[in-house]
Amino acid sequence: DAGVTQSPTHLIKTRGQQVTLRCSPISGHKSVSWYQQVLGQGPQFIFQYYEKEERGRGNFPDRFSARQFPNYSSELNVNALLLGDSALYLCASSLSSEAFFGQGTRLTVV
Amino acid sequence: AQRVTQPEKLLSVFKGAPVELKCNYSYSGSPELFWYVQYSRQRLQLLLRHISRESIKGFTADLNKGETSFHLKKPFAQEEDSAMYYCALLFGGGYNKLIFGAGTRLAVHP
């Protein structure tokens, strides 16, 4: 099992653009969560999805949205990108309370 | 409000010295706490969780509800322990949201 996989690994976007990040969970895991990690800080919770439904949302603006597909993979979308959205975006899947993290997508907004 | 505090950004020790990485939390309910570790160029991974009360790679952590602490300890540090360590609190509320501290970088020198 390759573990949680995320794509792309790196991305450069311009302010105002939109971006889609993708995540494939560990086989059998129905829960996917997204985190944003800004340099020098710990990961900050954005969303959790379970069985294709949003279970929780962190303190992020409506420019951030996500969805989960029938195969439990997930996409995170960010619209109208700001310089402050530059960060490492982490996806985690879980069966219970233990979260397994992907390598992350490094987003740079210029 | 729920919060995790790791007061030290960097902890620098020599090989064989004892290590204690501090973590304090703020949570009104019954806490479930974790330590995650990130080695250089690797993904964030679970090191240990308080409910399992086990020792992983020589590390232990005891939950002290009176002091609201979950410090990570190892009696004899090894060079391979050098990594970024994050303390995390699971906020239940119907979904699995991890609240992370800012992290402590442990540097073990030969």
Side-chain angles (χ1 to χ4, degrees), chain A residues 2-4 33 35 37 40-43 45 48 55-56 96-99 101-103, chain B residues 9 32 34 36 38 41-44 46 49 86 90 94-98 100-102:
Chain A
V4 178
S33 298
Y35 290 80
Q37 187 173 20
Q41 297 181 21
F45 176 83
Q48 189 208 5
R55 282 290 188 89
S96 60
S97 58
E98 178 180 350
F101 285 85
Q103 289 276 29
Chain B
K9 283 198 174 297
E32 186 170 354
F34 304 80
Y36 279 83
Q38 188 167 31
R41 295 188 181 86
Q42 294 187 28
R43 63 186 66 196
L44 196 60
L46 179 66
R49 53 199 300 181
Y86 294 95
L90 182 68
Y95 59 97
N96 286 350
K97 166 185 174 180
L98 285 168
F100 285 88

Side-chain angles (χ1 to χ4, degrees), chain B residues 16-34:
Chain B
V19 167
E20 182 179 51
L21 290 86
K22 292 183 166 45
C23 172
N24 288 91
Y25 67 91
S26 173
Y27 187 57
S28 56
S30 184
E32 186 170 354
L33 287 147
F34 304 80

Side-chain angles (χ1 to χ4, degrees), chain B residues 51-64:
Chain B
I51 59 173
S52 60
R53 300 185 63 83
E54 56 189 344
S55 172
I56 303 292
K57 299 185 179 182
F59 284 97
T60 59
D62 289 318
L63 176 61
N64 186 324

Side-chain angles (χ1 to χ4, degrees), chain A residues 46-107:
Chain A
I46 310 176
F47 286 111
Q48 189 208 5
Y49 275 77
Y50 180 79
E51 292 272 16
K52 297 172 287 181
E53 296 208 352
E54 181 183 305
R55 282 290 188 89
R57 184 186 184 112
N59 189 23
F60 280 81
D62 291 343
R63 298 184 296 107
F64 288 76
S65 64
R67 56 180 175 167
Q68 188 177 30
F69 299 98
N71 66 353
Y72 305 112
S73 66
S74 178
E75 286 183 351
L76 175 70
N77 295 285
V78 187
N79 293 323
L81 284 165
L82 304 174
L83 295 180
D85 295 331
S86 295
L88 180 68
Y89 288 85
L90 296 169
C91 173
S93 75
S94 58
L95 265 179
S96 60
S97 58
E98 178 180 350
F100 294 82
F101 285 85
Q103 289 276 29
T105 294
R106 171 74 61 190
L107 172 64

Side-chain angles (χ1 to χ4, degrees), chain B residues 74-104:
Chain B
K74 185 169 183 177
F76 308 103
Q78 302 299 315
E79 289 180 67
E80 55 265 31
D81 296 329
S82 295
M84 196 73 190
Y85 291 80
Y86 294 95
C87 181
L89 168 70
L90 182 68
F91 174 78
Y95 59 97
N96 286 350
K97 166 185 174 180
L98 285 168
I99 299 167
F100 285 88
T104 298

